[in-house]
Amino acid sequence: MTERHRDETTAAPGGGLRAGVAAAAFFRMGYQAAVSYPMSFAVSQVTTVVPVIVYFFISHLVKTDLGQVGGDYFTFIVIGVACQRLLSGGLAGLGDEMESAIREGRLETLLIQPVDWRLLPLGLAEWPIAWGLINVVALVAISTALGAHYQVQAVPGFLLIAVLGIVATLGVGILAVSIKILAKRTDPLLTIYGLAAAILSGAFYPLGQLPRAVRHLSWAVPDTYVISAARHLLMPEGGLTGGPSTWTAVAALLLFDVVAIPVALWVFARTLEYGRTAGVLAGY
């Protein structure tokens, strides 16, 4: 895709409407692909919510400083897992969609469509993000039935944090996809980020449990801010200690968004240009 074609597409009359139609088309494409395999669709949902039952029993076993977990370890860990599941849409979900497009030879077809090339990673991430949101609703419903407690009035604030976090991690996902286009099946960036997020974000344990030197590294991971802010907002005890505050999380995530998305899209554009020149976009 040439720079001239990109500029004409972006500046064309009705570009905003075309972008909306393209976004809807990407969403339908992801949804139809998911429901075409109903058994896989159902199993995916079950595998997401079943761990909540495991965490329920673990919460009765684990003894920890209640101040560090807001007085309720079960609610504490469910919020962490739910946030990670929601953020995975712009990470692993986008990578899976791009891998399917490359494997099935659809990538170049998508690139020649009369839509802005920047919509490609954003469009491919739509359904994985929506699916992650569906999983989160199921997690919250089941955990509530098992005794978890949430501040319902804080949901609008949580949604703001979730949007900022999704955009931040989408930047990481786009960078990973750029590597995937050239490296095909390998996801070195996602692997490294996933390990860092699992250890540093505090999804499964309070950040205060980390060694001091390692704890500072957690501030470089967007998941940390999303999970911490979500707990401060949604946990009813109000006694949660440690981790970034809600306003600190908002400021940090805005900074991630402003930096990550432009850089990721620039790298993605350079990757597409190189891929077209080298002839590696058509498939494996």
Side-chain angles (χ1 to χ4, degrees):
M1 184 178 299
T2 65
E3 293 292 339
R4 178 182 177 185
H5 177 70
R6 291 173 186 160
D7 295 339
E8 289 176 351
T9 300
T10 305
L17 177 61
R18 184 180 293 114
V21 172
F26 273 114
F27 187 87
R28 286 197 308 273
M29 182 173 64
Y31 170 76
Q32 290 171 354
V35 299
S36 295
Y37 303 93
M39 181 62 72
S40 176
F41 188 85
V43 169
S44 175
Q45 184 74 8
V46 170
T47 55
T48 300
V49 301
V50 163
V52 175
I53 300 174
V54 177
Y55 302 140
F56 171 73
F57 290 109
I58 291 176
S59 68
H60 289 279
L61 175 66
V62 173
K63 302 297 182 182
T64 185
D65 179 2
L66 292 181
Q68 294 190 50
V69 296
D72 182 355
Y73 180 70
F74 182 50
T75 303
F76 176 90
I77 194 170
V78 170
I79 291 176
V81 172
C83 288
Q84 281 203 325
R85 182 66 188 89
L86 185 60
L87 296 177
S88 69
L91 291 166
L94 174 57
D96 291 343
E97 292 293 320
M98 181 62 75
E99 181 174 334
S100 296
I102 296 174
R103 184 176 60 249
E104 297 166 8
R106 293 185 287 112
L107 180 56
E108 286 199 323
T109 302
L110 292 172
L111 289 173
I112 64 174
Q113 300 303 312
V115 295
D116 191 336
W117 63 272
R118 297 171 185 85
L119 287 176
L120 179 58
L122 304 180
L124 289 175
E126 282 182 355
W127 174 249
I129 291 172
W131 181 235
L133 181 59
I134 294 171
N135 288 157
V136 167
V137 172
L139 285 172
V140 171
I142 292 176
S143 63
T144 300
L146 291 173
H149 302 282
Y150 306 98
Q151 294 195 97
V152 178
Q153 68 273 21
V155 169
F158 166 70
L159 292 177
L160 172 62
I161 292 293
V163 170
L164 293 175
I166 287 171
V167 173
T169 53
L170 183 59
V172 179
I174 294 173
L175 288 173
V177 159
S178 301
I179 297 175
K180 179 184 282 290
I181 289 175
L182 302 181
K184 303 306 182 183
R185 293 183 181 275
T186 57
D187 283 307
L189 181 58
L190 275 187
T191 300
I192 294 171
Y193 183 88
L195 291 172
I199 297 172
L200 300 174
S201 68
F204 305 101
Y205 42 76
L207 290 174
Q209 299 295 316
L210 293 171
R212 184 177 299 274
V214 177
R215 198 181 311 162
H216 293 305
L217 297 176
S218 67
W219 293 71
V221 181
D223 298 51
T224 301
Y225 300 96
V226 176
I227 294 171
S228 180
R231 285 170 175 157
H232 282 293
L233 288 168
L234 297 176
M235 296 191 71
E237 291 294 329
L240 184 66
T241 61
S245 68
T246 301
W247 288 112
T248 300
V250 170
L253 290 171
L254 282 172
L255 180 60
F256 274 114
D257 294 348
V258 169
V259 173
I261 291 296
V263 170
L265 288 175
W266 182 86
V267 173
F268 184 68
R270 303 287 78 76
T271 300
L272 290 181
E273 291 296 337
Y274 176 80
R276 289 179 64 86
T277 302
V280 297
L281 299 182
Y284 286 87

